[in-house]
Amino acid sequence: MGQILLLFIFSFFRLYQLPNSLFFFNDWGRDMLVLLKWQQTGLPPLLGPLTSALPFNQSAVYFYLLYPGYLLFGGHPISSVFTLIIFYLIVFVFLFVFLKKNSNLATSLLITFYLISVHPQFIIQNRFVWNPSFIPPLIFVSIYSFYQLQKKYSLFSLWVFSLSISLAISLSYSAAPLLISLFIYWLIFSRQKIKQYLFSLFSGFFLFNLPTLLFEIRHSFFLTNQLLNQSPANQYNNDFISRLNSIISNLFFTNNPPLNQALFFSFILIIFIVVYFHRHQRGLSFYFSCLFLITLLISLLLPLTFHYQYIFPLLCLAILVISALPKLPKILLVLLLSYHYLKPATLQNYFKPARRTYAQMNQCAKDFCQNFKEPIFVSTQASFHSFHNGPEHRYLLRKNGCNVRDIETENGQAQYMAVVIDDSSFSSRTTYYELELFGKFTDRKTIDCLPNFKIKVLKRN
């Protein structure tokens, strides 16, 4: 009964009022555009999304996970949410079956699943889907299976661990510090069967990154050369204090910074106490605590901006630590976090209507494409996101029959440009220089879809 209740809580926070609150833009549109091109051409992508820090793409397996749901739901972006929910639930059921013979592990898993069900960062990134969202279940599988390996070696546990951690890192390189932490823990406390570990890990990485390898062979190792010769993206707020503050705010996610800091340092104190008193037993709480401390240290030392999409390894470990604490501090922390995470104001924020729904955007694109058949470029100007080139609008116009061309790679193949004015006003400059690439133009017409949502058509002179 408790497991069914957890499944309901998890699903409710991700699905309630979703059609009205689904805010479709940016990376989500990028994903749908990749899947649409796959559907139209029949050619699966070989590369996943580009990383935020390195000039290197992640594994295309990310898109392979999304594609069946995309087809099933007719290209609606809500398919990604359902795919993600199903993925989490399947992994949860698998882990429960895998761990149910050990009561401590099973109890830890139930508490863990409750906390990820109500934690704001999980809910937000599950309702607003993009590439790091798949890795938490894989992190939990890898950590639990690695613990099982330390207690009793088996080939099944080894392959479960290797495949889950290699898939997690292939989906998001932010999971790499966790593998380093597990390796450090293994060096200190185990050092057994090194050949088996290395072979299974290598096999997992090879399997999930095979499409990338095929791309590299086809294109003379373009990504590798780019990684070696091109500087990483500029990092900001990447000093030690900024990374620490970002970690603290994302771990506890309250609107009270002093409370966040108090919770964090109290939590660290509890971890050190647990490690000290359980250092000889090396039980579950000691294992989770050591991994958290090592991963925290690595995260603080890495000279990278700690975006909130990078929080999952540390956040998963923090939740696991809580799930294995002694009874009293565990109950107190779960109750305190539940109080803050389940406040009405916090819950209402998940379910509030989007500034424009997917249905409204789709209808606008459909009406436009019924009356415009010329090849066209697409860009956007928006008050709330000036940092991308409107992939969601390119997707919707292409999906509804417009002959959309990419001005970055197909300049000269269209004489028109559609500039989507999203809660903004038109100016002669777009963030990614699409209008500069387009050249001199004449304003032909403006289509009003919603009070704050318009499409302006420009013709190249």
Side-chain angles (χ1 to χ4, degrees), residues 20-274:
N20 293 326
S21 62
L22 185 152
F23 187 41
F24 178 55
F25 90 115
N26 202 21
D27 286 357
W28 206 343
R30 171 210 65 195
D31 296 346
M32 294 295 106
L33 190 57
V34 171
L35 298 175
L36 177 63
K37 290 179 179 179
W38 181 0
Q39 182 184 26
Q40 292 178 341
T41 64
L43 300 174
L46 295 179
L47 298 179
L50 188 68
T51 67
S52 298
L54 301 173
F56 202 89
N57 289 67
Q58 292 162 171
S59 172
V61 72
Y62 170 66
F63 294 120
Y64 303 162
L65 288 170
L66 292 175
Y67 194 56
Y70 169 87
L71 294 177
L72 184 63
F73 284 87
H76 197 298
I78 205 170
S79 63
S80 297
V81 180
F82 280 99
T83 297
L84 195 65
I85 290 173
I86 292 169
F87 185 78
Y88 272 74
L89 296 184
I90 289 175
V91 173
F92 170 72
V93 172
F94 166 78
L95 269 177
F96 188 76
V97 173
F98 184 53
L99 303 176
K100 66 179 182 179
K101 293 182 180 180
N102 187 316
S103 59
N104 289 333
L105 292 176
T107 301
S108 167
L109 176 62
L110 293 175
I111 295 171
T112 295
F113 194 73
Y114 167 73
L115 288 175
I116 69 170
S117 297
V118 300
H119 193 287
Q121 193 64 269
F122 276 96
I123 296 174
I124 291 169
Q125 294 203 41
N126 289 168
R127 291 177 70 94
F128 176 61
V129 181
W130 57 326
N131 50 301
S133 301
F134 279 104
I135 72 169
L138 299 167
I139 288 173
F140 291 125
V141 172
S142 61
I143 292 174
Y144 279 119
S145 58
F146 190 81
Y147 180 77
Q148 293 280 67
L149 276 171
Q150 306 311 301
K151 296 301 179 182
K152 183 180 178 181
Y153 177 84
S154 75
L155 280 177
F156 178 75
S157 296
L158 176 63
W159 281 100
V160 168
F161 161 70
S162 297
L163 292 175
S164 57
I165 191 64
S166 58
L167 178 55
I169 296 173
S170 299
L171 290 170
S172 175
Y173 298 143
S174 64
L178 174 61
L179 179 59
I180 298 172
S181 300
L182 289 165
F183 182 69
I184 292 172
Y185 186 92
W186 177 85
L187 281 177
I188 296 173
F189 298 112
S190 181
R191 298 187 184 181
Q192 295 178 352
K193 301 186 182 296
I194 181 64
K195 292 181 180 179
Q196 290 90 328
Y197 276 84
L198 292 178
F199 175 77
S200 58
L201 282 170
F202 175 82
S203 300
F205 281 113
F206 178 80
L207 172 66
F208 297 124
N209 292 278
L210 181 59
T212 307
L213 179 59
L214 294 176
F215 175 90
E216 287 286 76
I217 293 172
R218 178 183 294 179
H219 297 281
S220 303
F221 292 89
F222 171 80
L223 293 176
T224 303
N225 290 325
Q226 189 172 238
L227 182 65
L228 295 174
N229 299 313
Q230 182 177 321
S231 299
N234 291 332
Q235 302 295 301
Y236 57 91
N237 295 331
N238 65 342
D239 58 280
F240 181 88
I241 297 300
S242 295
R243 290 198 295 277
L244 179 61
N245 288 333
S246 180
I247 289 170
I248 292 173
S249 63
N250 281 290
L251 281 180
F252 296 103
F253 215 90
T254 72
N255 293 324
N256 188 333
L259 177 61
N260 280 338
Q261 294 172 359
L263 281 170
F264 177 75
F265 289 111
S266 299
F267 186 59
I268 295 298
L269 178 61
I270 291 172
I271 288 176
F272 273 111
I273 292 173
V274 167

Side-chain angles (χ1 to χ4, degrees), residues 1-7:
M1 185 64 184
Q3 294 92 319
I4 295 175
L5 179 61
L6 283 177
L7 297 178

